[in-house]
Amino acid sequence: MNLNRLLHTTGFRYALLYVALFGASVLVLFGVVYWNTAGYMERQLKEVVDADVQSLKGDYQEGGVNDLHRSVDDRIASDRHRQNLYLLQDRNGARIAGNLEPRRPLTGWQESVHSVSAEHDEEEHHLILGRGVMLPGGFYLFVAQDANQLDEIRDLTTGAFGWAFLAVAVLAVIGGMVMSAGLLHRVETVNRTAQDIIQGDLSRRIPTRGTNDEFDQLAANLNRMLERIQLLMEELRQVSSDIAHDLRTPLGRLRQHLEGARLRPGTVEEYKRVIDRAIADTDAILETFAALLRIAQVESGSRRSKFTELDLSQLLQAVVETYTPVAEDGDHTLVSAIPPGVTIRGDRELLTQMFVNLIENALGHTPSGTAIEVSLESSGPGALVTVVDHGTGIPEHERRKVFQRFYRLDTSRGTPGSGLGLALVAAIAELHGVDMTLSDNQPGLRVMLRFPAR
Amino acid sequence: MKILVIEDDPDTAEYIAQGLKELGHTVDIAPNGKDGLFLAAGEKYDVMVVDRMLPGLDGLGLVKTARGAGVATPVLFLTTMGGIDDRVEALEAGGDDYLVKPFAFAELVARINALGRRPALVPEQTVLRVADLEVDLIRHTVKRRGQRIDLQPREFRLLEYLMRHAGRVVTRTMLLEHVWDFHFDPKTSVVETHISRLRSKIDKDFAPELIHTVRGTGYSLRESE
């Protein structure tokens, strides 16, 4: 796993976000601490200076520049720690009194550096914080406090927080990298499995750790999805080979007949018979293709957008009306119980074909003399259509399979049919959200189609 | 009849043209939509046979454009197998009928005849007559030789369709589509059964027989052979 890869992971991006977040917290904390230490000290110093300035101003007003001069001298003399600093200068910038060098007569708060002689004749540069005021008569008074301690505290807090910030940043980056490496490893596992599947090994599954965390759940879901895909692929393969098999038989027969006619000399009439038969064979093959295409088209679901409100009672009645004489000719009876006015949303053409297929299926697979019953019930908000016959029925274990393409019961191998009629019924039912169940009518088959509420 | 065939596959076009010429029709072939539109707009045809899929301008676009330009020639669309939605689209674009490829030639001829001899703007008839058979579309009554005959609703529609196409051949598929609204091929003999019922009511006790079976193609209602 290379560094570049790591830097582009989500985990690492989260780490960067954490750096920013922790950095901001450190800054806020720094602000609060600073305000409460250095800030506090600064405010204290300013208060002292302010008080001093007020008092000296008073002296000037009472006794003029001479009194002020004396007061300044007194204060310097009594300040053994050399904490208080003063400057009184005239309008020409010449010092009259004080322990500071003459300066530019700026009013307001100022910070500057002041040299103090310490032990062993060494010089120290101290920060001073002071305030300048102009007095009537052009005199300039500057009162300051030695702010060396303030300076030190400022340096201390800034330094401490600088290091803290650095430590947080380093920890967050390292933590992020470790975390991403862990996540990346698990994602890599999923990726490798996906690669294998792309290569064609559909049986591969993503390993789970058994911890049931999000990754395990993701893996389990992906595995379930793969299971379904594999199943569908197998079904598809099955259908393809079924199609090939089911078409090979009639094509083989067609070839046989044509070859037979080619080898034996015959009359025009005989040739015509062979050609007619070949056309009939071809039509049967084309019909199988058409049925397959129709199923595929219904399964694609594109017809759903063309659904309209339709009268199911009328539609069913029309089908029954059409098939009553057909049933009679085949020695069956078609009985119906269809109340009027049941409406649903659907595709008229497809629903007609669905009912026709079911009725024709019943007609084709039941012995003569038996009845076929079609009924409609308005069941709550939906509708229920039942088609019942009295034939041999379908064994329970085969009931699901009859809706597969080309599936035919052993008992019906002899009867004509493509094995696609019920597959189309299933596709149309699915398109309409119809719940279709097959059950034993004792004897016979009961097909129940439950239409959903609109 | 003068027929325009717009079909890009030369084999299919030749197969259609050859067959129609043998039946005495005049046939023009256009191999693409542009040429087809040019001919359709410039010449006077009785029927146009238009392939749904054409290079360049496709069949639907061609017919829409032609209809927009005032060409009223009846159009028979040829569509590919399996396209359930094709029929609706074809009819919406201004087509009059459609036929799914591959088709039996007799089916094509029957449909061209049904379209080409469609009377142009004849006031809607309310009573149809062939020989001594009379169908009153308003009163929903059928009489033969003045004798009242009772028909089931479906039988009435079947007879009405046959009467409207009297003298012409109608195929099994045409009947399924127009009488039953079945746009698929049922496994059982729906058409045969209903024709036989209808025959027993209108032909059995009377002479001459009016409903004729055309072998391998369909049926025709007419006075004589």
Side-chain angles (χ1 to χ4, degrees), chain A residues 241-280:
Chain A
S241 70
D242 284 348
I243 292 172
H245 182 264
D246 253 71
L247 289 177
R248 201 173 49 195
T249 316
L251 280 171
R253 204 167 44 221
L254 172 64
R255 192 185 185 287
Q256 234 172 330
H257 293 150
L258 290 175
E259 196 177 24
R262 179 74 186 77
L263 292 176
R264 273 185 301 279
T267 62
V268 173
E269 278 312 308
E270 279 166 354
Y271 280 140
K272 271 190 180 166
R273 239 195 333 273
V274 172
I275 290 172
D276 281 350
R277 204 165 161 182
I279 290 173

Side-chain angles (χ1 to χ4, degrees), chain A residues 281-310:
Chain A
D281 282 344
T282 315
D283 283 348
I285 295 163
L286 286 170
E287 203 181 305
T288 301
F289 267 119
L292 282 170
L293 283 169
R294 203 162 168 88
I295 292 171
Q297 212 163 25
V298 171
E299 281 179 344
S300 79
S302 63
R303 292 281 275 198
R304 203 171 282 131
S305 59
K306 297 224 166 79
F307 276 12
T308 51
E309 187 85 17
L310 56 89

Side-chain angles (χ1 to χ4, degrees), chain A residues 14 23 132 149 156 206 208 246 272 423:
Chain A
Y14 274 120
Q149 272 187 342
L156 211 66
I206 301 158
T208 52
D246 253 71
K272 271 190 180 166

Side-chain angles (χ1 to χ4, degrees), chain A residues 225-258:
Chain A
M225 184 177 85
L226 290 169
E227 208 79 54
R228 177 110 183 89
I229 291 172
Q230 196 179 6
L231 197 77
L232 288 174
M233 291 292 289
E234 269 158 27
E235 264 176 35
L236 194 67
R237 214 166 299 161
Q238 184 64 38
V239 167
S240 309
S241 70
D242 284 348
I243 292 172
H245 182 264
D246 253 71
L247 289 177
R248 201 173 49 195
T249 316
L251 280 171
R253 204 167 44 221
L254 172 64
R255 192 185 185 287
Q256 234 172 330
H257 293 150
L258 290 175

Side-chain angles (χ1 to χ4, degrees), chain A residues 46-59:
Chain A
K46 281 182 173 174
E47 262 173 46
V48 171
V49 169
D50 264 341
D52 224 1
V53 167
Q54 287 312 318
S55 147
L56 289 171
K57 263 182 167 173
D59 290 344

Side-chain angles (χ1 to χ4, degrees), chain A residues 52-76 86 88 96-98 135-136 139 141:
Chain A
D52 224 1
V53 167
Q54 287 312 318
S55 147
L56 289 171
K57 263 182 167 173
D59 290 344
Y60 177 75
Q61 271 161 12
E62 274 171 31
V65 76
N66 290 333
D67 268 19
L68 181 58
H69 190 304
R70 203 173 312 115
S71 290
V72 168
D73 284 348
D74 284 352
R75 280 170 203 222
I76 292 170
Y86 301 93
L88 177 62
I96 303 169
L135 298 173
F139 297 104
L141 175 69

Side-chain angles (χ1 to χ4, degrees), chain A residues 276 286-287 289-290 293-294 297-298 302-303 306 317-319 321-326 328-329 347-350 352-354 356-357 360 363 416-418, chain B residues 81-89 92 98 101-104 152-155 180-194 196-197 215:
Chain A
D276 281 350
L286 286 170
E287 203 181 305
F289 267 119
L293 283 169
R294 203 162 168 88
Q297 212 163 25
V298 171
S302 63
R303 292 281 275 198
K306 297 224 166 79
Q317 192 63 55
V319 173
E321 224 171 71
T322 299
Y323 277 89
T324 303
V326 178
E328 280 169 16
D329 282 6
D347 185 306
R348 177 178 299 278
E349 193 179 320
L350 292 179
T352 303
Q353 185 163 18
M354 178 169 86
V356 163
N357 280 13
E360 288 190 334
L363 286 173
S418 59
Chain B
M81 193 160 67
I84 337 181
D85 294 336
D86 285 3
R87 178 174 46 87
V88 180
E89 279 178 7
E92 274 170 2
Y98 81 104
K101 282 203 267 188
F103 47 80
Q152 297 284 326
R154 201 59 56 172
E155 290 163 353
W180 282 275
D181 207 15
F182 280 10
H183 300 278
F184 52 89
D185 202 5
K187 298 278 160 295
T188 48
S189 47
V190 173
V191 177
E192 293 76 358
T193 300
H194 283 85
S196 117
R197 302 258 157 159
R215 218 182 136 257

